[in-house]
């Protein structure tokens, strides 16, 4: 499973990207479960609510994309975003 996260916005407006390929990882099942929850918790398309200088996120898992924004992230989305941006290339 290939998981990509793009973070945009914020005060400085700097884009940050991360990508993880879970194939063969020892915690592959954990990544997959978290990704499925993150996709389930967000409808596709542009989210309505936004805070000034907040971040917007594009989460793509094997070609399926969900857009979300602070402060309206589910726990699964927040965890997945954090892990991908921390551990991803």
């Amino acid at each position: 499973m290939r998981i990509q996260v793009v973070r945009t916005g914020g005060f400085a407006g700097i884009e940050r990207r991360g990508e993880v390929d879970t194939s063969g990882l020892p915690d592959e099942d954990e990544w997959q479960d978290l990704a499925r929850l993150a996709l389930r918790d967000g409808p596709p398309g542009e989210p309505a609510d936004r805070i000034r200088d907040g971040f917007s996120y594009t989460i793509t898992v094997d070609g399926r994309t969900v857009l979300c924004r602070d402060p309206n992230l589910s726990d699964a989305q927040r965890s997945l975003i954090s892990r991908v941006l921390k551990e991803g290339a």
Side-chain angles (χ1 to χ4, degrees):
M1 176 179 280
R2 184 172 304 274
I3 305 168
Q4 300 167 320
V5 171
V6 178
R7 182 185 77 186
T8 57
F11 180 73
I14 298 171
E15 182 178 287
R16 184 162 175 216
R17 294 175 173 265
E19 183 174 323
V20 172
D21 184 351
T22 65
S23 301
L25 293 178
D27 56 350
E28 181 177 3
D29 291 339
E30 184 180 324
W31 277 100
Q32 291 178 357
D33 291 343
L34 188 57
R36 285 187 193 100
L37 282 173
L39 290 177
R40 186 186 71 193
D41 291 344
E46 190 67 21
D49 296 335
R50 184 176 191 166
I51 59 172
R52 184 179 174 140
D53 294 330
F55 290 114
S56 296
Y57 303 92
T58 304
I59 302 170
T60 303
V61 179
D62 289 340
R64 182 165 171 229
T65 300
V66 170
L67 305 174
C68 48
R69 290 187 180 144
D70 284 333
N72 301 318
L73 301 175
S74 69
D75 291 338
Q77 289 169 337
R78 193 171 307 282
S79 293
L80 183 66
I81 289 165
S82 177
R83 283 187 71 181
V84 171
L85 291 179
K86 181 179 178 183
E87 299 176 35

